[in-house]
Amino acid sequence: MFKIIHAQFLAPGIKRFVIEAPRIARKQKPGQFVILRIYEEGERIPVTIENSDPERGTVNIVVQSVGKTTHLLNSLNTGDSILDVVGPLGKPSEIANYGTAVVVGGGVGTAMAYPTAAALKRAGNRVISIVGARNKELVILEDEMRAVSDVLMITTDDGSYADKGFVTDKLRQLIQNGARIDLVVAVGPIVMMKAVADMTRPEKIHTVVSLNPIMIDGTGMCGGCRVLVDGKSQFACVDGPEFDAHNVDFAVLVQRNSMYRDAEQKSMAEYQRAVSAKAGEPAAEPCVAASSGVQGEQR
Amino acid sequence: MSPTVKKSLNPVPIKDRMKVPRQAMPEQAPQERAHNFTEVNLGYSEELAQREAQRCLECAKATCTENCPVGVKVTEFVELIVAGKFLEAAAKIREDNVLPAITGRVCPQEDHCEGKCLLGKKVKPLGIGYLERFVADYEQRMGKHVLPSVQPTGKKVAVVGSGPSGLTCAGDLIQRGHKVRVFEALHELGGVLVYGIPEFRLPKQIIREQLDYMREMGVEFETDVVVGRTITIDELMHEEGYDAVYIGTGAGLPQFMGIPGEHLNGVYSANEFLTRINLMKAYKFPVYDEPMLNLQGKNVAVIGGGNTALDAIRSALRLGAGHAYVIYRRSEAEMPARIEEVHHAQQEGIDFHMLTAPVEFLSDGKGWLTGARCVRMELGEPDSSGRRRPVPIAGSEFDLPLSVAIMAIGTTANPIVQTTTPGLGTNKRGYIQASEETQRTTRKGVFAGGDIVTGAATVILAMGAGRRAAKSINEYLATGEW
């Protein structure tokens, strides 16, 4: 059992948990993730590590509600426990002094982009961070990102905060203005990571993306998370999750992440029915997010 | 001292024992069991066990024991069954094997003890596996077992991996007085026993009981620890004070064939398919949260001919598959699976496409599997494994419509421990180098055994390695010599 020391919403549907996990806290490096299971009948899902405190033995995870498990998780509070938390998993980000690094975080992906941006800054890079969200309420970790960036740019899809548009608009401007860029790291929705890759490919800018396929064990034993990179199967949990964006087959990732869409919707609908019944309310329509409630979207 | 002639308790005279037929194992009817996950074999009654035990020829040179990877004293425990001393028989097995309820069920006895039984030269060999299973189950039913008393040595050993090899090593070490802690990456203990082998062959309850017994003996377990990620071997030894480490992490990474279409939705590795079913109980979705593709009425094929392949396809059948196929590139004679399981699968209605291999997986154009293009094979010259090499027959391609394909063509070494442990030697296939005799690796105080050393093998061979390692660790801890 892993105790939740503190739980707090950062934005609607996006919650940060501080979890007591001393072994993970001691070892965690930017780019890594955990797999967790909330309760006995639960599934295992990969979740972003935002930060950790080796002294206090705590790990911060950031979770967005998209399906049953993440809704359940985000209903937990300070003092509750999570049955299983395993990690840190995956290869750490390759941190070096590249020169100028552009770190792009989309939605909850910002939580994973943050430790990488911080590490790149510590390694002596000039860090330009671009954070994007659908609207003002969903912008997360602004202060944290600002603290580790030389330049911070924020976009919202609807223009309700900072600049209207997508993160890729900012990246395009940087490229068009002839800014020196030695590395781009993008973490977020697949469409965003693909758009970033397509933009930097003709410019031959080294670009790394953190992939978010469906996972079970997260230790390399099942291959459920296999992704097609440079025409070859790679296991994102042990060979990644970060890969050279220009070699990733994003279409296969999208296709594989849709594998259990029907089951996920069914699971979410039943969960919502149960929650409503408990609250004595009529069953609500399945929420919009549930239709994209792919496990992998967590990361 | 005059040699004492031991008087046999067996009421059947030696000359008549060959006339007693091997007692069949009662089992669920094929048409019934093909739709449930309840154990196929139902186990011997006391009467059946005693009658079967009476067939033992009590050989002076027990070739059965010599051929058991952990050296179970077969004639001695069988004699105790003949005498009706079932608990004593169980204790006798436990001297050499801490997991008898498991090995009695999943060992390929035809390759080990029963394969060398003298009876087998004329009639059917003694049902050693069935008898072992009987006494282990009897002991559990009675709820009685004797805990060995041991003197603590003050030494600490970390066991990495809670599969058959790690559990055996831990069981032997605790009986020698060492403090033992087992680290497991998954949330449940048992390794392949819990994620790989299905309920209908090995009920999970049996594993839990064996683990409880080990806890009673004093073995400590910690789940959710991926050694190499959560903690390294060096940290275990230098920071957590372990005097020795045993690595029994298994051969985890599934292999794929590298043919077109393997990334399609509907193509699973056997490890993933079985993990979803056995560990995550996806067949109870949505009571359990882990989903899997609906197999009801679908065409499902497994590629491969080992026990894993049969476990996967028989599970698919139980999940409602309309047609279930085994696609194997050699012939039945070369199948590495246990004979009993092949028979069980055939009885349940699984179709075997022998001498056949897929060359491509076919797509509906939207990323979903619709079939496999297969080619027929013929057997050519023997290859490095000594088996005749399958050669494709030109022009024999045919398409098999499929919704799900499960790859069970083998596994390779998981590199997590090796790549995070400086100085730990590996061979060219990435497996850990360890002495066959002592299981010592190239790192002082670090031992390894089971599939992570040999590549994928059997439960009992992994247990044999765990036993040898425990003996060798014991010697190392006593002398400090490497």
Side-chain angles (χ1 to χ4, degrees), chain A residues 23 27 37 39 41-44 68 84 86-88 216 219-222 224 226 255-256 259-260 263 295, chain B residues 187 222 224 229-231 235 240 252-254 262-263 265 267-269 271-272 275-276 285 289 367 414:
Chain A
R23 286 194 191 280
K27 298 290 285 189
R37 190 176 72 130
Y39 64 122
E41 288 81 22
E43 60 182 342
R44 294 167 66 100
K68 177 182 175 180
D84 297 288
V86 60
I216 308 174
T219 62
M221 65 169 262
C222 86
R226 62 192 189 274
Q255 161 223 313
R256 287 186 57 82
M259 200 155 158
Y260 300 103
Q295 282 180 322
Chain B
H187 59 259
E222 187 172 342
D224 296 330
R229 291 264 192 254
T230 315
I231 190 164
E235 288 164 344
E240 305 217 354
L253 298 185
E262 262 179 333
H263 59 274
N265 292 358
V267 181
Y268 283 105
S269 74
N271 268 11
E272 178 182 357
T275 298
R276 283 183 183 272
F285 180 88
D289 291 334
N414 190 323

Side-chain angles (χ1 to χ4, degrees), chain A residues 39 41-43 68-69 72 267, chain B residues 280 285-291:
Chain A
Y39 64 122
E41 288 81 22
E43 60 182 342
K68 177 182 175 180
T69 297
L72 256 175
S267 191
Chain B
M280 305 310 296
F285 180 88
V287 174
Y288 282 75
D289 291 334
E290 193 77 55

Side-chain angles (χ1 to χ4, degrees), chain B residues 207-225:
Chain B
I207 303 162
R208 280 193 287 270
E209 287 161 2
Q210 303 273 308
L211 290 165
D212 284 345
Y213 179 81
M214 294 187 70
R215 281 193 192 93
E216 270 183 66
M217 293 199 296
V219 178
E220 295 172 357
F221 294 97
E222 187 172 342
T223 52
D224 296 330
V225 177

Side-chain angles (χ1 to χ4, degrees), chain B residues 151-173:
Chain B
Q151 278 296 320
T153 62
K155 301 282 185 182
K156 278 171 72 176
V157 184
V159 172
V160 184
S162 69
S165 146
L167 291 181
T168 301
C169 187
D172 278 13
L173 287 168

